[in-house]
Amino acid sequence: MTSDSRSANAALTLSPTVSPTESSTAQPELSAGRVRVGVIGAGAMGAGIAQVAATAGHEVVIADAQPDAIARARLAHAAAMARDVEKGRRQRDDADAVLARITYIDGVDAAHLAPIADCGFVIEAIIEQLAAKQALFRTVDAMVAPDAILASNTSSLSIAAMAGACTHSARVVGVHFFNPAPVMPLVEIIAGLATAAHVADRAEALMRAWGKTTVRATDTPGFLVNRVARPFYGESLCLYEEGSASVATIDWALTSLGGFRMGPFTLMDLIGNDINFAVSRSVFESTFYDPRYRPSVTQQRHVEAGWLGRKSGRGYYHYADAQQGYDARMANQDAVLGQRIVDRVVAMLVNEAAAALDYGLGSPADIDLAMTKGVNYPLGLLAWGDSIGPDAIVRRIDALHAEYGDPRYRAARTLRRVVREGGRLVHG
């Protein structure tokens, strides 16, 4: 057994004598066998998580209600292993062993999910609808051993609400990967109100054994990354809707001048406008309609029209024939306009990161780590705010509020305190 195998093995092997409801001081014994992993949902995210687990040496069961999704996942796994072999990252025998560890299941009713029953760690990555996730967890909760961990890959929904659907609510935890799961290093660990401390600890240890960087997030709408990132999309959509710039100009400004790896409209097309809009609406509704998170009618219309992005062939850009998405030549590359776009979007992002401090959503270090590792921002937002100057950020936001009269433009308490005290956001 390799050292990686031993660490992954020790990370999540639960004793059959320990209940998830026991205190966090309980120390479950370690058994000789590696935990079996169940993944329910074989879309891009679920398939990616299954690949990560199988690559780490686990036996994996992946299930989906749609046979086509299972077929695509199987092909994606084979293609990923073939690329690894071609690039010299893996021997052919090793690649074949990874694929052999994955079992594919067509169907998510109790009968089809029978092979999940002996999994010690089950993670769902199904449609982002609370009722669907609760129904699935009720089924799985009744099937698996009492000491198995149930995890949700939700990007914004309540972990407490999912746990509430289960008899063993203390074993439910949020384990949020970022797409593509085999590539993106960050995983958010979210404990709900009922989650036992040792369950969150063991889930986090398992993710670290899989080579992931973890941050702890609170069970609030959008958790950490998706909440703090909302202005990247929302403010860019506001700029477009008010006629300040085209989508291509905004993408050009934020990549060429702002240093972001991908512009917001290109990224929304990649994520899928249906998914991105659903997260925005979920955060907005779950924060009781805080105007900072107000969704965009433009994005709603794109979803209604079926312009979902790359997967549908049309989004903010075309992805058919010779037209393949964003091209910088589409943009108005005016430096003054571009810098105005960057200044506004970055100010709102820094403000949202500071608001996360207001509400205790994470430490300064975790917030900046989450945004650089989870969404590849060029700098941690709090450190970025310090480099610009917290006073400059406050002036920009106050100017926007004066111009628009919209309460979405309100400076975070932490920002105002740092300016008042002459401190810093990161060390302030």
Side-chain angles (χ1 to χ4, degrees):
M1 183 181 291
T2 66
S3 60
D4 283 348
S5 297
R6 283 192 295 270
S7 62
N9 201 31
L12 185 67
T13 309
L14 301 181
S15 165
T17 63
V18 175
S19 165
T21 60
E22 291 181 13
S23 75
S24 60
T25 59
Q27 296 296 322
E29 298 175 2
L30 301 180
S31 70
R34 179 189 297 279
V35 67
R36 195 179 195 204
V37 174
V39 181
I40 304 176
M45 187 62 79
I49 295 169
Q51 180 183 323
V52 172
T55 300
H58 297 267
E59 295 289 332
V60 177
V61 178
I62 182 168
D64 197 285
Q66 302 297 325
D68 287 350
I70 286 292
R72 287 192 297 271
R74 192 190 296 268
L75 290 172
H77 292 153
M81 292 301 104
R83 283 195 302 273
D84 280 358
V85 171
E86 181 182 352
K87 293 180 180 296
R89 294 191 292 252
R90 192 181 301 277
Q91 296 298 314
R92 184 69 255 177
D93 287 351
D94 182 39
D96 290 342
V98 171
L99 295 174
R101 285 194 285 270
I102 306 175
T103 300
Y104 300 88
I105 298 175
D106 296 334
V108 295
D109 55 40
H112 283 95
L113 288 179
I116 294 283
D118 61 352
C119 290
F121 181 84
V122 180
I123 183 166
E124 69 78 20
I126 66 170
I127 188 170
E128 195 75 347
Q129 292 179 0
L130 180 59
K133 292 179 187 290
Q134 288 173 320
L136 176 63
F137 269 13
R138 285 190 196 97
T139 298
V140 176
D141 185 44
M143 297 175 61
V144 298
D147 58 352
I149 288 178
L150 303 186
S152 173
N153 185 59
T154 180
S155 57
S156 63
L157 298 177
S158 166
I159 301 302
M162 284 179 239
C166 299
T167 300
H168 301 93
S169 58
R171 51 127 158 246
V172 178
V173 64
V175 178
H176 179 220
F177 288 76
F178 293 82
N179 198 22
V183 175
M184 298 301 288
L186 189 76
V187 174
E188 291 178 312
I189 306 295
I190 308 103
L193 285 175
T195 306
H198 75 267
V199 168
D201 290 345
R202 287 182 168 272
E204 182 171 33
L206 182 65
M207 295 303 105
R208 289 181 174 174
W210 290 0
K212 295 300 184 181
T213 299
T214 61
V215 294
R216 291 292 185 109
T218 58
D219 189 13
T220 53
F223 309 134
L224 192 51
V225 173
N226 274 321
R227 181 160 174 162
V228 174
R230 289 339 303 153
F232 188 64
Y233 315 109
E235 203 59 28
S236 298
L237 282 158
C238 284
L239 282 159
Y240 170 71
E241 288 175 343
E242 68 190 33
S244 295
S246 68
V247 296
T249 299
I250 295 166
D251 275 359
W252 165 79
L254 288 166
T255 53
S256 297
L257 303 180
F260 292 90
R261 292 192 183 183
M262 193 176 293
F265 294 97
T266 302
L267 183 54
M268 285 186 281
D269 274 357
L270 178 63
I271 294 168
N273 278 298
D274 53 338
I275 295 171
N276 189 263
F277 179 70
V279 173
S280 293
R281 186 170 61 184
S282 172
V283 172
F284 181 55
E285 293 173 353
S286 298
T287 56
F288 301 103
Y289 306 99
D290 187 327
R292 289 211 314 270
Y293 309 113
R294 186 186 305 119
S296 161
V297 172
T298 294
Q299 190 171 41
Q300 181 181 21
R301 294 293 182 262
H302 276 65
V303 173
E304 292 168 345
W307 291 9
L308 307 182
R310 287 182 178 272
K311 62 186 175 184
S312 68
R314 176 75 183 268
Y316 298 106
Y317 301 103
H318 292 270
Y319 299 93
D321 303 324
Q323 294 180 317
Q324 290 296 323
Y326 166 74
D327 187 325
R329 292 173 296 183
M330 304 172 179
N332 172 10
Q333 298 186 20
D334 177 85
V336 174
L337 172 61
Q339 192 59 53
R340 192 158 62 241
I341 292 167
V342 171
D343 288 350
R344 179 167 163 179
V345 173
V346 170
M348 291 297 285
L349 284 167
V350 171
N351 189 56
E352 194 59 41
L357 292 177
D358 287 350
Y359 293 105
L361 303 188
S363 68
D366 271 0
I367 291 169
D368 275 5
L369 178 67
M371 303 315 290
T372 54
K373 296 293 187 181
V375 280
N376 281 326
Y377 283 4
L379 289 171
L381 292 174
L382 298 172
W384 203 342
D386 281 337
S387 70
I388 294 169
D391 55 339
I393 300 294
V394 170
R395 285 198 302 271
R396 291 177 192 174
I397 294 168
D398 286 348
L400 287 166
H401 186 268
E403 181 174 354
Y404 293 96
D406 189 333
R408 72 184 278 118
Y409 302 115
R410 63 184 194 274
R413 296 191 310 275
T414 293
L415 261 177
R416 293 200 183 278
R417 177 185 58 78
V418 166
V419 171
R420 186 171 61 250
E421 297 175 359
R424 297 172 61 81
L425 290 166
V426 175
H427 303 295

